[in-house]
Amino acid sequence: MAEDHRIPRPVRDSQSEMAEIVLPNDANPLGALLGGRLMHWIDLAGAMAAHRHSRNHVVTASVDHIDFLVPVRVGDLVILRSSVNRVFHTSMEVGVKVYVENYIADTAQHVASAHLTFVAIDSAGKRVPVAPVIPETDEQHQRYDDAGRRREIRRAELERRHKR
Ligand SMILES: CC(C)(COP(=O)(O)OP(=O)(O)OC[C@H]1O[C@@H](n2cnc3c(N)ncnc32)[C@H](O)[C@@H]1OP(=O)(O)O)[C@@H](O)C(=O)NCCC(=O)NCCS
């Protein structure tokens, strides 16, 4: 029998990690990682958690603003960690945190964070409900609550923009 994709699943089941070494093709002429390349990686890392949680196709509905906190250089190792913060109905908020790891000094620096909303769709492109996500740790509970507040802000902002 086919598995029921609507069974609630813990956050940890779909948490994902992606790693990239910054190559010259990812950088500007001064050797600094392009913001657009990092945004692309953030989208992919977010989609991984969304796919794994929803067990479906997903599309990116929105990306909240991104601050680039420190420059990343050619040769750096970039680590992107993603997890589903909260599921609404057909959409889910995913948080992505980006670090740059210095493997010589064994240090990691926080580079950027972003919240993305993905919507689950079936192979015909029709929106489909997503199974609830179960927060377990204090941090996951905090993110779950914060995601609810961010959704209200997003909805108000969307409505404001489309009324113009
Ligand atoms: C995202 C998309 C599926 C929403 O479809 P829609 O017909 O506008 O659907 P609705 O307005 O009824 O919203 C459906 C869900 O998406 C959410 N949503 C829609 N627009 C959103 C936005 N800008 N930000 C966050 N969530 C959004 C709604 O809150 C709703 O969530 P829920 O089911 O969990 O309550 C549709 O706009 C789309 O396909 N966009 C293009 C996506 C794409 O191609 N992305 C790649 C980037 S080019």
Side-chain angles (χ1 to χ4, degrees), residues 43 58-64 87-92 116-121 125 127-130 151 154-155 158 161-162:
D43 190 30
V58 297
V59 290
T60 314
S62 70
V63 183
D64 293 1
V87 169
F88 300 103
H89 177 51
T90 64
S91 71
M92 68 208 107
L116 301 91
T117 303
F118 292 92
V119 174
I121 53 168
R127 288 190 286 109
V128 287
V130 178
R151 173 172 162 98
R154 261 179 230 121
R155 282 155 77 107
L158 255 181
R161 280 204 298 269
H162 291 290

Coordinates of all heavy atoms in Angstrom, one line a residue, residues 43 58-64 87-92 116-121 125 127-130 151 154-155 158 161-162, ligand 1:
D43 N 18.4 28.5 -2.0 CA 17.1 28.0 -2.6 C 17.2 26.4 -2.6 O 16.2 25.7 -2.2 CB 16.9 28.6 -3.9 CG 15.5 28.3 -4.5 OD1 14.6 28.1 -3.7 OD2 15.4 28.3 -5.8
V58 N 8.0 20.6 -5.0 CA 7.8 21.9 -4.3 C 8.2 23.0 -5.3 O 9.1 22.8 -6.1 CB 8.5 22.0 -3.0 CG1 8.0 21.0 -2.0 CG2 10.0 22.0 -3.1
V59 N 7.5 24.1 -5.1 CA 8.0 25.4 -5.8 C 8.3 26.4 -4.7 O 7.6 26.4 -3.7 CB 7.0 25.9 -6.8 CG1 6.9 25.0 -8.0 CG2 5.6 26.2 -6.2
T60 N 9.2 27.3 -5.0 CA 9.5 28.4 -4.1 C 8.5 29.5 -4.3 O 8.3 30.0 -5.4 CB 10.9 29.0 -4.4 OG1 11.9 27.9 -4.6 CG2 11.4 29.9 -3.3
A61 N 7.7 29.8 -3.2 CA 6.7 30.8 -3.3 C 7.3 32.2 -2.9 O 7.0 33.2 -3.5 CB 5.6 30.5 -2.4
S62 N 8.3 32.2 -1.9 CA 8.9 33.4 -1.5 C 10.2 33.2 -0.7 O 10.4 32.1 -0.2 CB 7.9 34.3 -0.7 OG 7.7 33.7 0.6
V63 N 11.0 34.2 -0.8 CA 12.2 34.2 0.1 C 12.2 35.5 0.8 O 12.1 36.6 0.2 CB 13.5 34.2 -0.8 CG1 14.8 34.1 0.0 CG2 13.4 33.0 -1.8
D64 N 12.3 35.4 2.1 CA 12.4 36.7 2.9 C 13.7 37.3 2.7 O 14.6 36.7 2.2 CB 12.2 36.3 4.4 CG 10.7 35.8 4.7 OD1 9.9 35.7 3.8 OD2 10.4 35.6 5.9
V87 N 4.7 23.9 9.0 CA 3.8 23.6 7.9 C 2.5 24.3 8.1 O 2.0 24.3 9.2 CB 3.6 22.1 7.7 CG1 2.5 21.8 6.7 CG2 4.9 21.4 7.4
F88 N 2.0 24.9 7.0 CA 0.7 25.6 7.2 C -0.4 24.7 6.6 O -0.9 23.7 7.2 CB 0.7 27.0 6.6 CG 1.8 27.8 7.4 CD1 3.0 28.1 6.8 CD2 1.5 28.3 8.6 CE1 4.0 28.8 7.5 CE2 2.4 29.0 9.4 CZ 3.7 29.2 8.8
H89 N -0.7 24.8 5.3 CA -1.6 23.8 4.6 C -0.9 23.2 3.5 O -0.4 22.1 3.6 CB -2.9 24.6 4.3 CG -3.9 23.7 3.6 ND1 -4.3 22.5 4.0 CD2 -4.6 23.9 2.4 CE1 -5.1 21.9 3.2 NE2 -5.3 22.7 2.2
T90 N -0.8 24.0 2.4 CA 0.0 23.4 1.2 C 1.4 24.0 1.2 O 2.3 23.6 0.4 CB -0.7 23.8 -0.1 OG1 -0.7 25.2 -0.3 CG2 -2.1 23.2 -0.2
S91 N 1.6 25.0 2.1 CA 2.9 25.7 2.2 C 3.7 25.3 3.5 O 3.1 24.9 4.5 CB 2.8 27.2 2.0 OG 2.2 27.7 3.2
M92 N 5.0 25.5 3.4 CA 5.8 25.3 4.6 C 6.9 26.3 4.6 O 7.5 26.7 3.6 CB 6.3 23.9 4.7 CG 7.4 23.5 3.6 SD 7.4 21.8 3.2 CE 6.6 21.8 1.6
L116 N 12.4 30.7 3.7 CA 11.8 30.5 2.4 C 10.4 29.8 2.6 O 10.3 29.0 3.5 CB 12.7 29.7 1.5 CG 14.1 30.2 1.2 CD1 15.1 29.6 2.2 CD2 14.5 29.7 -0.2
T117 N 9.5 30.2 1.7 CA 8.2 29.4 1.7 C 8.2 28.6 0.5 O 8.3 29.1 -0.6 CB 7.0 30.4 1.8 OG1 7.2 31.2 3.0 CG2 5.7 29.6 1.9
F118 N 7.9 27.3 0.7 CA 7.7 26.4 -0.4 C 6.3 25.9 -0.4 O 5.7 25.7 0.6 CB 8.7 25.1 -0.3 CG 10.1 25.5 -0.5 CD1 10.9 25.8 0.6 CD2 10.7 25.6 -1.8 CE1 12.2 26.2 0.4 CE2 12.0 25.9 -1.9 CZ 12.8 26.2 -0.8
V119 N 5.8 25.6 -1.6 CA 4.4 25.1 -1.8 C 4.5 23.7 -2.5 O 5.3 23.6 -3.4 CB 3.5 26.1 -2.6 CG1 2.2 25.4 -2.9 CG2 3.4 27.4 -1.9
A120 N 3.9 22.7 -1.9 CA 3.9 21.4 -2.4 C 2.9 21.2 -3.6 O 1.8 21.7 -3.5 CB 3.6 20.4 -1.3
I121 N 3.4 20.6 -4.6 CA 2.5 20.4 -5.8 C 2.7 18.9 -6.3 O 3.7 18.3 -6.1 CB 2.8 21.4 -7.0 CG1 4.3 21.3 -7.4 CG2 2.4 22.8 -6.7 CD1 4.6 22.0 -8.7
G125 N 1.0 19.7 -11.2 CA 1.1 21.1 -10.8 C 0.1 21.6 -9.9 O 0.0 22.8 -9.6
R127 N -1.7 22.1 -6.2 CA -1.3 22.2 -4.9 C -1.8 21.1 -4.0 O -2.9 20.7 -4.2 CB -1.7 23.6 -4.2 CG -0.9 24.7 -4.8 CD -1.2 26.0 -4.1 NE -2.5 26.6 -4.4 CZ -3.5 26.6 -3.5 NH1 -3.3 26.1 -2.3 NH2 -4.6 27.1 -3.8
V128 N -0.9 20.6 -3.1 CA -1.3 19.4 -2.3 C -1.0 19.7 -0.8 O 0.0 20.4 -0.5 CB -0.7 18.1 -2.7 CG1 -1.2 17.6 -4.0 CG2 0.8 18.3 -2.8
P129 N -1.8 19.2 0.1 CA -1.6 19.4 1.6 C -0.3 18.8 2.0 O 0.1 17.7 1.4 CB -2.8 18.8 2.3 CG -3.8 18.6 1.2 CD -3.1 18.5 -0.1
V130 N 0.4 19.4 3.0 CA 1.7 18.9 3.5 C 1.4 18.3 4.9 O 0.7 18.9 5.7 CB 2.7 20.0 3.5 CG1 4.0 19.5 4.1 CG2 2.9 20.5 2.1
R151 N 4.5 34.4 9.0 CA 3.4 34.2 8.0 C 2.4 35.3 8.0 O 2.0 35.8 6.9 CB 2.7 32.8 8.3 CG 1.5 32.6 7.3 CD 1.0 31.2 7.6 NE -0.3 30.9 7.2 CZ -0.6 30.2 6.0 NH1 0.3 30.0 5.2 NH2 -1.8 29.9 5.7
R154 N 3.9 38.2 6.3 CA 4.0 38.0 4.8 C 2.7 38.2 4.2 O 2.5 38.9 3.1 CB 4.4 36.6 4.6 CG 5.9 36.4 4.3 CD 6.3 35.0 4.0 NE 7.4 34.6 4.9 CZ 7.4 33.7 5.8 NH1 6.4 32.9 6.0 NH2 8.5 33.5 6.5
R155 N 1.6 37.7 4.8 CA 0.3 37.8 4.2 C -0.2 39.3 4.2 O -0.7 39.7 3.2 CB -0.7 37.0 5.1 CG -0.6 35.5 4.7 CD -1.1 34.6 5.8 NE -2.5 34.5 5.9 CZ -3.2 33.5 5.6 NH1 -2.6 32.4 5.1 NH2 -4.5 33.4 5.8
L158 N 1.8 40.9 1.4 CA 1.3 40.5 0.1 C 0.0 41.3 -0.3 O -0.2 41.8 -1.4 CB 0.9 39.0 0.1 CG 1.9 38.1 -0.6 CD1 1.4 36.7 -0.5 CD2 2.1 38.4 -2.0
R161 N 0.7 44.9 -1.0 CA 1.3 45.1 -2.4 C 0.3 45.0 -3.5 O 0.3 45.7 -4.4 CB 2.5 44.1 -2.6 CG 3.8 44.6 -1.9 CD 5.0 43.9 -2.6 NE 4.9 42.5 -2.5 CZ 5.5 41.8 -1.6 NH1 6.1 42.4 -0.6 NH2 5.4 40.5 -1.6
H162 N -0.6 44.0 -3.3 CA -1.5 43.7 -4.4 C -2.7 44.7 -4.4 O -3.4 44.8 -5.4 CB -2.0 42.3 -4.4 CG -0.8 41.4 -4.8 ND1 -0.3 41.4 -6.1 CD2 0.0 40.6 -4.1 CE1 0.7 40.5 -6.1 NE2 0.9 40.1 -4.9
Ligands
LIG1 C1 3.4 29.8 -5.1 C2 2.1 29.4 -5.9 C3 2.0 27.9 -6.0 C4 0.9 29.9 -5.0 O1 -0.2 29.5 -5.7 P1 -1.6 30.4 -5.6 O2 -2.6 29.9 -6.6 O3 -1.3 31.9 -5.6 O4 -2.1 29.9 -4.3 P2 -2.7 30.6 -3.0 O5 -2.7 32.1 -3.0 O6 -4.0 30.0 -2.8 O7 -1.7 30.2 -1.9 C5 -1.4 28.8 -1.7 C6 -0.4 28.7 -0.6 O8 0.8 29.4 -0.9 C7 1.1 30.4 0.1 N1 1.6 31.5 -0.6 C8 1.2 32.0 -1.8 N2 2.0 33.1 -2.1 C9 2.9 33.2 -1.2 C10 4.0 34.1 -0.9 N3 4.3 35.1 -1.8 N4 4.8 33.9 0.2 C11 4.5 32.9 1.1 N5 3.5 32.0 0.9 C12 2.7 32.2 -0.2 C13 -0.3 30.7 0.7 O9 -0.2 31.2 2.0 C14 -0.9 29.3 0.7 O10 -0.4 28.6 1.8 P3 -1.3 27.5 2.6 O11 -1.9 26.5 1.6 O12 -0.3 26.8 3.5 O13 -2.3 28.2 3.4 C15 2.0 30.1 -7.3 O14 2.0 31.5 -7.1 C16 3.2 29.8 -8.2 O15 3.2 28.7 -8.8 N6 4.2 30.6 -8.2 C17 5.4 30.4 -9.0 C18 6.4 29.5 -8.2 C19 7.7 29.3 -8.9 O16 7.7 29.1 -10.1 N7 8.8 29.4 -8.2 C20 10.1 29.4 -8.7 C21 10.7 30.7 -8.8 S1 10.7 31.4 -10.4

